[in-house]
Amino acid sequence: QAKNMLEVAGLGIEKLIYEEDIATNYVLAEIVEGKEMSKESKVEIEMGSGVVLKVGVEPDRNTTIVPKAIGQSLQTAKSRLWEQGLNIGKVNFDEGVNLLNQKDARVYRQSLNHNATTTLGASVDLWLTLDEEVVNKSSKASDKAAHELEEQRLEAEAAKRDSIEQAEAIQRNEVQEALEVSKKAAQKAAQSVT
């Protein structure tokens, strides 16, 4: 929501900083030109400027899945990355990309693979080109790698589920064995009393 409000105001996110807090994904502070803003703050900044957002996150909920930026314009790629709680790292333009045609350039490489798991606030470097063939080729390779990452994640989740189920089964068996032992001990004690 904060990202959308900033975009409506003609601003962007300079950086997302995550701090431990029970209010996960809640904006704890907004910082402009090194100064923390309050409701009373009145600041004039240039359109397109960035705001640093301090965002709360629970320690055990501090990961995200990297979205696909390949094939997107710089602005769309930034928006997708911010929506997933990631920062924009270094932006690299191929030869021939200039201020006049920059809006036509598309991302053909990103430093963190799409569909990879990473920590909130991680930076993703982007490379842009005007060459559609390069973008299409990179997009296909990225989709293939993302599919492999998804399969690995599903396998890891299944293995974790299986190990939890095995641990629960072992625990049930141990409890049953302990009950049998105590039952036999109680029967022996009852027989020795009579």
Side-chain angles (χ1 to χ4, degrees):
Q1 186 179 0
K3 178 188 84 67
N4 294 336
M5 291 172 65
L6 288 171
E7 286 175 348
V8 167
L11 303 172
I13 296 173
E14 179 182 330
K15 186 174 186 177
L16 295 168
I17 299 173
Y18 284 88
E19 291 186 355
E20 193 172 312
D21 195 280
I22 58 169
T24 295
N25 286 331
Y26 180 79
V27 176
L28 305 172
E30 298 168 349
I31 302 168
V32 175
E33 297 174 351
K35 297 177 188 155
E36 194 167 310
M37 299 291 106
S38 68
K39 290 182 181 185
E40 295 80 33
S41 296
K42 294 189 180 184
V43 177
E44 283 189 33
I45 57 175
E46 199 173 307
M47 289 281 278
S49 295
V51 175
V52 175
L53 298 178
K54 282 189 181 178
V55 183
V57 65
E58 288 182 56
D60 59 340
R61 299 178 69 192
N62 67 343
T63 60
T64 188
I65 304 295
V66 179
K68 182 178 181 181
I70 294 173
Q72 305 302 316
S73 67
L74 179 58
Q75 194 54 46
T76 302
K78 284 180 174 183
S79 185
R80 285 188 176 181
L81 292 166
W82 288 327
E83 285 170 4
Q84 290 301 117
L86 298 168
N87 283 304
I88 312 309
K90 187 175 180 191
V91 177
N92 306 282
F93 293 99
D94 276 4
E95 195 174 310
V97 179
N98 57 45
L99 287 174
L100 296 175
N101 62 18
Q102 183 175 319
K103 68 182 183 328
D104 298 323
R106 296 290 177 257
V107 175
Y108 71 92
R109 182 174 161 205
Q110 57 190 79
S111 60
L112 295 177
N113 288 334
H114 125 245
N115 230 2
T117 301
T118 191
T119 56
L120 290 168
S123 291
V124 179
D125 296 339
L126 301 172
W127 285 261
L128 289 94
T129 186
L130 294 168
D131 188 336
E132 286 185 42
E133 189 175 317
V134 169
V135 172
N136 291 335
K137 187 176 180 182
S138 294
S139 182
K140 287 177 185 172
S142 174
D143 289 344
K144 182 179 178 185
H147 181 71
E148 291 170 4
L149 285 171
E150 181 65 19
E151 285 180 352
Q152 289 171 2
R153 189 172 21 261
L154 291 173
E155 287 173 10
E157 287 173 7
K160 184 178 177 180
R161 259 192 323 276
D162 289 347
S163 67
I164 290 171
E165 288 171 6
Q166 286 175 350
E168 289 171 347
I170 290 169
Q171 191 175 24
R172 277 193 304 276
N173 288 340
E174 288 173 350
V175 168
Q176 280 183 324
E177 288 173 9
L179 288 173
E180 288 294 321
V181 168
S182 64
K183 184 179 175 183
K184 287 179 183 177
Q187 287 173 346
K188 275 187 179 181
Q191 285 175 350
S192 66
V193 171
T194 55

